[in-house]
Amino acid sequence: MNHIARRALMALSLLAAGPAAAQQFPSRTITVIVPFAAGGPTDTVARLVAESMGRDLGQTVVVENAGGAGGTIGSQRVAQARPDGHTLLLHHIGMATAPTLYRRLAYDPVGGFEPIGLITEVPMTLVAKKDFPANNLAEAIAVIRREREGLNYANAGIGAASHLCGLLLMKAVDAPMTTVPFRGTGPAMQEILSGRIDLMCDQTTNTTEQINSGALKVFSVTTESRIPALPNVPTSAEAGLPEFQVSVWHGLYAPKGTPAAVVQRLSQSLQVALRDERVVARFAELGTTPVAQDRATPEAHRTFWQADIAKWRPIIQAAGQYAD
Ligand code: ASP
């Protein structure tokens, strides 16, 4: 039996089980796949949310990292998992860019998933190794224009938020840098801290503590207004590069064919997690906030996701930079 037939059969048997399947849900440990390495920003968000959802669901929710290929390896695992709600994907804006960036995938990057709910929108920061020879964005741009490919820019693969942010930056300053891909920006952070990487653009959920401890230089935050966790960091517009704006939304997904009642139960649990004061407090320390409750729903998630696919498609097509 081929893969599609097997999945169709699994979905049918779950459908036949109907509400009973949902009543018994969850019947075992839930695995949340993060399509990036441990210790990075997507992983951080996933671990906070998983722990809280586990309390609400009365089952352990574990996080497993399946990094590589800009998030598509982990996404494929979930698209091809048994659609019973026990294997989920926590991914970011890459879900909106992969359908255009990757023209050949072994899974359906849109139709392969049931959205469960949005989680958060995280600002990005442009950071540099501690001894990078610039002290503000204008000086950093001058160094990038002078050194060009002599500088190492880290990202988490094509379609990763760090890749998109790097594209915007290099386009805005009109100079390429040497791109060094990692399985996630957790490992990339170690390399920038040790000075082997010059620059990176990454979520505040991975950079706030290093910025505040002085372990990194920071040139701007990619939001319209300054953020409370980094009150001294100028916005890109204040620093002179208004077009350098990007916000990294995260969402939770189940494989296509997961019963609607199970998706609803997971969405309710996600909403509980996003109101959990421990989650809210830690998000705030890391420069972000949970989405409003009505956005942590399958419907709001689907609408936002589709709009974001449509928003990024012409940008990627104009850049002509495909992954394959
Ligand atoms: N922040 C990474 C990115 O560039 C992914 C990660 O490691 O969470 O998309």
Side-chain angles (χ1 to χ4, degrees):
M1 196 186 322
N2 73 18
H3 172 72
I4 294 173
R6 202 165 43 239
R7 280 192 42 143
L9 209 70
M10 282 193 309
L12 270 177
S13 60
L14 279 165
L15 217 64
Q23 266 160 29
Q24 288 154 17
F25 178 81
S27 57
R28 57 188 165 84
T29 298
I30 294 177
T31 302
V32 176
I33 304 279
V34 167
F36 297 105
T42 314
D43 181 68
T44 298
V45 167
R47 284 176 199 275
L48 285 165
V49 168
E51 204 207 327
S52 185
M53 284 181 71
R55 272 194 298 276
D56 178 63
L57 291 164
Q59 272 287 353
T60 312
V61 181
V62 297
V63 171
E64 207 180 296
N65 301 90
T72 55
I73 290 174
S75 302
Q76 176 170 349
R77 269 196 47 196
V78 178
Q80 295 174 350
R82 189 179 160 85
D84 63 3
H86 292 91
T87 309
L88 307 176
L89 175 72
L90 194 149
H91 200 345
H92 63 24
I93 191 169
M95 285 297 276
T97 55
T100 310
L101 274 169
Y102 289 82
R103 289 170 296 184
R104 276 181 290 276
L105 283 170
Y107 66 99
D108 183 341
V110 183
F113 301 92
E114 306 282 356
I116 294 169
L118 295 166
I119 300 171
T120 177
E121 292 197 42
V122 188
M124 298 290 268
T125 42
L126 179 63
V127 294
K129 64 182 181 183
K130 209 174 159 189
D131 59 358
F132 191 83
N135 288 315
N136 55 48
L137 187 59
E139 288 177 14
I141 290 172
V143 176
I144 295 169
R145 286 191 174 134
R146 191 174 67 235
E147 304 288 333
R148 302 171 71 88
E149 279 107 335
L151 294 174
N152 287 325
Y153 175 89
N155 75 18
I158 294 183
S162 44
H163 166 241
L164 300 172
C165 203
L167 268 187
L168 291 180
L169 174 68
M170 291 182 226
K171 192 164 170 276
V173 307
D174 197 22
M177 289 182 269
T178 299
T179 298
V180 185
F182 291 83
R183 293 172 83 82
T185 46
M189 176 58 79
Q190 298 314 313
E191 295 297 292
I192 197 167
L193 289 173
S194 63
R196 283 187 288 268
I197 288 290
D198 297 295
L199 286 153
M200 173 166 78
C201 182
D202 202 19
Q203 287 113 294
T204 57
T205 32
N206 199 34
T207 60
T208 301
E209 284 168 354
Q210 288 85 347
I211 291 169
N212 284 334
S213 73
L216 290 178
K217 282 190 175 174
V218 59
F219 301 127
S220 80
V221 59
T222 62
T223 37
E224 269 174 30
S225 328
R226 291 191 184 207
I227 60 168
L230 295 168
N232 300 324
V233 178
T235 64
S236 299
E238 284 177 288
L241 208 57
E243 64 271 48
F244 186 46
Q245 301 246 354
V246 57
S247 134
V248 182
W249 59 274
H250 294 61
L252 190 64
Y253 305 79
K256 180 78 185 169
T258 303
V262 169
V263 171
Q264 281 304 337
R265 177 69 191 96
L266 287 163
S267 170
Q268 273 166 14
S269 181
L270 175 64
Q271 291 166 29
V272 170
L274 297 183
R275 290 195 307 265
D276 179 339
E277 59 192 28
R278 281 168 284 201
V279 172
V280 176
R282 188 67 185 134
F283 271 23
E285 282 169 3
L286 297 175
T288 190
T289 47
V291 295
Q293 191 174 346
D294 62 356
R295 297 185 71 205
T297 60
E299 302 73 33
H301 185 175
R302 185 181 299 282
T303 306
F304 183 83
W305 180 25
Q306 281 169 347
D308 217 45
I309 292 172
K311 171 182 143 187
W312 280 98
R313 188 174 297 124
I315 300 173
I316 293 166
Q317 284 169 342
Q321 293 197 1
Y322 297 99
D324 41 39

